Amino acid sequence: MGTNNDYIIYVENIVKKYDNGRTVALDHCDLKINQGQVVAIIGSSGSGKSTMLRSLNLLEMPTSGKIFFKGTELTSKKIDVDSHRQKMGMVFQHFNLFPHMTVLENITMAPVILKIQTKQEAEKSAMKLLERVGLTEKANVYPNMLSGGQKQRIAIVRALAMEPEVMLFDEPTSALDPEMVGEVLDVMKELAADGMTMIVVTHEMGFAREVADEIVFMSEGRIIEKGTPKQIFENPKNQRTKNFIDKVL
Amino acid sequence: MFWDWWQNLFVDMSSINFFNFSFLPRYGYAVIQGVEYTLILSVISVLLAVLPALMLAMMRISRHKTVRCLSGAYIAAFRSTPILVQLMIIYYGVFSVIRVPKFLIFGFIDSTRFIPGVVALALNSSAYVAEIFRAGILAVDSGQMEAARSLGLSQAQSMRLVILPQAVKNVLPALANEVITMVKESSVCMVLGMAEIMFTAQTIGGSTYISIGPYMLAAFIYFAITYPTSKVIERVERRMRRGDKQ
Ligand SMILES: Nc1ncnc2c1ncn2[C@@H]1O[C@H](COP(=O)(O)OP(=O)(O)O)[C@@H](O)[C@H]1O
Ligand SMILES: [Mg+2]
């Protein structure tokens, strides 16, 4: 065996059912992700992309199947999921910043509470991260004072403050006004260039094509086709993939 | 015969009697103490209810069915029986076993009556406040819990640092309304001889033979406390909601 050790994330045959089995959100999916890889998950709405992503850090517990993170089975009953979640940052469509905390508190809260850094250390690294996304002057404001694009960049920084080994993005630009999409994608591109392992659910086909190493196309809870952007966008094998690509391009 | 009765009927119901406050010069001080008693009783009852209510609310949204049911049973029991019955059972049941030492609270409140009364009201109130808290917690966007958990915080840490601070803000108006409800409900404590507004009115009626006036005054006092307060709370609530949207 040992195969699951070769990958940073290894998903084996997962199934997720809702409503006592009436809804099958994930239908026997496998996924293997290498260290430093950028994977884009595409597919129409309701195809199970979010469920797949949220299963990776066990925000959703799969009904069956196994998920390994660096060789450790997360789906095992014995595991302390909280400590593994620290290593998997997540960015949400609707930002989910904490409205009762300033930007700086949003970023430093988790590392301080989880005793990964002292308050001073956390603030220092938070300011460095804010500088990277060009938002140092927003450190002491509350999230309601920020634009959508700024909120999402802060949300990315908040996740990065935990020094994760994987970043999960669930449609990070879908709730943004069009003119703000670029600033968030730029941050993500930089992150990819720095070698971060990223799994991105997205409708931004341009981004997927340019940045992703692998594209995963999902439909009705199944992974229909995987491949390089070139394969998927220019030469899809499956008819459903073809239809989807024709529709979105 | 009939005419005597007919005429007396109108004499008794004349507005003179409704608004006969001639007892005030003599009993004004007692009335003021009655008001103080009621306010102290209701505020302390709701404050005491906060912690048990928080616990009940957490139990209510627990993953474990037994825990959920325990809390649900408590809430159902206290919300589905009259507060008067609860007061009697707690006073004659629980506090016949537990003896409360006799002393004066704030210089005029008899502890042997006040403490059982406050405990009964607090137990009752915690059932209602628990539902307020539960609604407040559920009103916090589920994405907040997910964001906290995705950072590696435990369920309890997420609750304490992310969900509850937001929930508390949501429930403050409802909590203030609960105090208003308690101001009115605490009138049941008159049956234990607790010298709050209603008991004072009854005592004055008994010793002056002015039967309606004291109760009319009690009604005015309750109204004067609760109505303006609830209007203020409504305004604060509206302003808070507008603040959220920004
Ligand atoms: N919490 C839930 N309860 C019930 N059904 C759900 C839940 N979450 C997702 N689903 C269902 O699972 C399917 C996949 O949803 P999702 O993963 O959100 O799709 P996508 O992100 O691709 O739009 C949909 O049919 C959706 O209705
Ligand atoms: Mg989705």
Side-chain angles (χ1 to χ4, degrees):
Chain A
M1 279 290 286
T3 44
N4 50 44
N5 279 311
D6 303 340
Y7 299 95
I8 187 160
I9 287 176
Y10 185 92
V11 175
E12 192 179 277
N13 210 16
I14 60 166
V15 174
K16 176 67 184 180
K17 294 179 181 173
Y18 288 112
D19 311 324
N20 288 321
R22 273 189 295 267
T23 311
V24 182
L26 291 179
D27 190 1
H28 301 280
C29 294
D30 296 299
L31 202 60
K32 294 166 192 161
I33 294 164
N34 284 310
Q35 176 94 39
Q37 216 181 5
V38 177
V39 176
I41 302 179
I42 61 173
S44 43
S45 166
S47 57
K49 307 180 299 294
S50 295
T51 308
M52 171 61 91
L53 199 71
R54 294 154 54 80
S55 297
L56 298 182
N57 65 353
L58 293 208
L59 280 185
E60 305 287 352
M61 189 63 171
T63 312
S64 67
K66 291 178 178 175
I67 295 167
F68 295 86
F69 175 59
K70 293 174 53 177
T72 311
E73 191 195 331
L74 297 184
T75 35
S76 138
K77 288 263 180 298
K78 284 165 278 181
I79 211 84
D80 168 28
V81 181
D82 294 338
S83 66
H84 288 279
R85 282 212 190 95
Q86 296 176 14
K87 296 284 143 221
M88 308 168 109
M90 187 156 195
V91 175
F92 302 85
Q93 182 176 355
H94 296 288
F95 329 125
N96 298 351
L97 292 178
F98 306 132
H100 59 299
M101 299 181 194
T102 64
V103 164
L104 195 62
E105 287 164 349
N106 262 278
I107 302 167
T108 57
M109 187 267 280
V112 174
I113 288 297
L114 299 170
K115 300 198 164 64
I116 290 164
Q117 288 174 313
T118 66
K119 194 155 176 282
Q120 286 79 3
E121 288 167 349
E123 283 178 359
K124 210 170 134 205
S125 36
M127 290 313 289
K128 261 192 214 140
L129 285 167
L130 282 174
E131 204 178 321
R132 249 174 87 181
V133 299
L135 288 172
T136 40
E137 80 280 14
K138 300 292 184 192
N140 294 310
V141 309
Y142 283 88
N144 63 357
M145 304 300 290
L146 303 172
S147 72
Q150 291 171 334
K151 280 182 193 168
Q152 197 60 301
R153 283 185 280 158
I154 298 296
I156 293 173
V157 165
R158 177 177 68 178
L160 290 177
M162 289 299 294
E163 298 180 354
E165 294 176 39
V166 176
M167 284 286 283
L168 311 173
F169 294 84
D170 193 357
E171 302 197 27
T173 57
S174 294
L176 298 178
D177 292 334
E179 71 270 19
M180 293 174 183
V181 170
E183 64 193 60
V184 172
L185 291 183
D186 285 345
V187 171
M188 291 169 63
K189 280 177 201 166
E190 240 177 74
L191 210 53
D194 283 353
M196 176 64 79
T197 309
M198 291 165 62
I199 300 148
V200 187
V201 172
T202 188
H203 292 296
E204 293 292 329
M205 293 304 148
F207 173 83
R209 202 168 182 161
E210 181 187 344
V211 181
D213 304 301
E214 183 174 49
I215 309 278
V216 173
F217 171 67
M218 290 185 69
S219 175
E220 292 173 4
R222 296 217 185 101
I223 293 176
I224 303 291
E225 193 169 347
K226 301 181 234 204
T228 62
K230 204 170 159 63
Q231 278 169 349
I232 298 288
F233 285 109
E234 286 166 25
N235 198 8
K237 291 193 198 74
N238 190 289
Q239 188 57 42
R240 268 195 273 183
T241 318
K242 203 173 246 150
N243 293 345
F244 179 77
I245 298 292
D246 287 345
K247 210 169 60 192
V248 295
L249 283 190
Chain B
M1 261 298 276
F2 175 78
W3 284 112
D4 286 348
W5 173 79
W6 181 247
Q7 273 174 342
N8 278 332
L9 191 63
F10 287 98
V11 171
D12 286 347
M13 285 177 63
S14 70
S15 60
I16 304 280
N17 270 342
F18 270 92
F19 298 102
N20 182 352
F21 297 146
S22 60
F23 56 86
L24 266 180
R26 220 177 135 199
Y27 291 96
Y29 187 69
V31 172
I32 290 170
Q33 274 204 339
V35 173
E36 287 172 359
Y37 198 120
T38 291
L39 291 178
I40 291 168
L41 181 60
S42 30
V43 171
I44 292 185
S45 297
V46 176
L47 287 182
L48 282 180
V50 165
L51 271 186
L54 192 57
M55 212 180 71
L56 285 167
M58 297 294 215
M59 289 169 68
R60 203 79 189 92
I61 54 178
S62 154
R63 261 167 309 187
H64 306 287
K65 190 155 183 242
T66 1
V67 177
R68 274 204 311 272
C69 287
L70 270 174
S71 163
Y74 179 95
I75 292 169
F78 276 89
R79 300 217 310 174
S80 315
T81 55
I83 192 164
L84 184 56
V85 176
Q86 297 161 18
L87 184 69
M88 291 308 205
I89 292 174
I90 287 162
Y91 186 72
Y92 291 109
V94 180
F95 283 93
S96 62
V97 185
I98 306 167
R99 287 260 164 252
V100 179
K102 195 173 173 79
F103 56 93
L104 287 183
I105 302 163
F106 296 115
F108 71 102
I109 297 173
D110 171 10
S111 64
T112 57
R113 294 170 202 279
F114 182 79
I115 288 175
V118 130
V119 167
L121 292 190
L123 289 176
N124 173 276
S125 193
S126 51
Y128 288 89
V129 177
E131 291 293 273
I132 294 174
F133 281 159
R134 186 172 75 114
I137 290 167
L138 294 180
V140 177
D141 178 37
S142 60
Q144 292 288 309
M145 177 58 93
E146 292 180 355
R149 296 307 300 274
S150 77
L151 289 165
L153 269 65
S154 68
Q155 171 86 21
Q157 286 169 328
S158 312
M159 227 353 149
R160 186 164 54 84
L161 296 160
V162 175
I163 306 299
L164 285 183
Q166 296 179 61
V168 162
K169 195 181 139 227
N170 291 344
V171 304
L172 281 181
L175 209 55
N177 276 322
E178 175 64 14
V179 176
I180 291 181
T181 304
M182 222 13 102
V183 165
K184 291 180 287 176
E185 293 282 318
S186 64
S187 60
V188 298
C189 290
M190 77 181 284
V191 301
L192 298 187
M194 296 168 76
E196 41 68 68
I197 297 173
M198 274 304 281
F199 182 79
T200 308
Q202 192 193 34
T203 312
I204 295 170
S207 35
T208 60
Y209 299 103
I210 304 169
S211 52
I212 310 173
Y215 294 119
M216 284 303 288
L217 181 66
F220 286 135
I221 291 171
Y222 281 119
F223 187 85
I225 296 170
T226 56
Y227 185 76
T229 319
S230 66
K231 284 291 154 197
V232 170
I233 294 167
E234 245 174 60
R235 284 186 71 165
V236 170
E237 206 175 2
R238 231 176 299 144
R239 190 169 318 156
M240 270 171 61
R241 216 172 298 137
R242 236 179 301 142
D244 276 349
K245 287 214 184 86
Q246 284 169 1

